[in-house]
Amino acid sequence: MNEIRCGACRRKLGEGEYTVLTIKCPRCGAMNTLRATSPSPARQGAPLQGPHGTHHSLDRRQTPPRRPAPEPVPSP
């Protein structure tokens, strides 16, 4: 398995194998987008379309809206 480290602060974020990975560093908050340099041998020649058409499950993913900050409680 490969170590996955933050590109900004070098904190270890995990271990594993990936083709495309986006992960936010909990230490510095940097967004890390990692892509494999070449497909793994088991995935070479895999079809681009599945039984339900093209695979676009992550193409339109959006982050959920942020909650507003809580209002401060006035002191007596």
Side-chain angles (χ1 to χ4, degrees), residues 7-46:
C9 70
R10 304 301 300 158
R11 177 177 180 179
K12 184 176 177 180
L13 302 174
E15 291 184 8
E17 296 178 15
Y18 56 88
T19 53
V20 178
L21 175 69
T22 300
I23 187 168
K24 183 177 181 180
C25 177
R27 178 189 292 166
C28 68
M31 289 301 294
N32 295 275
T33 301
L34 308 164
R35 300 182 197 284
T37 54
S38 62
S40 62
R43 293 292 298 161
Q44 287 180 353

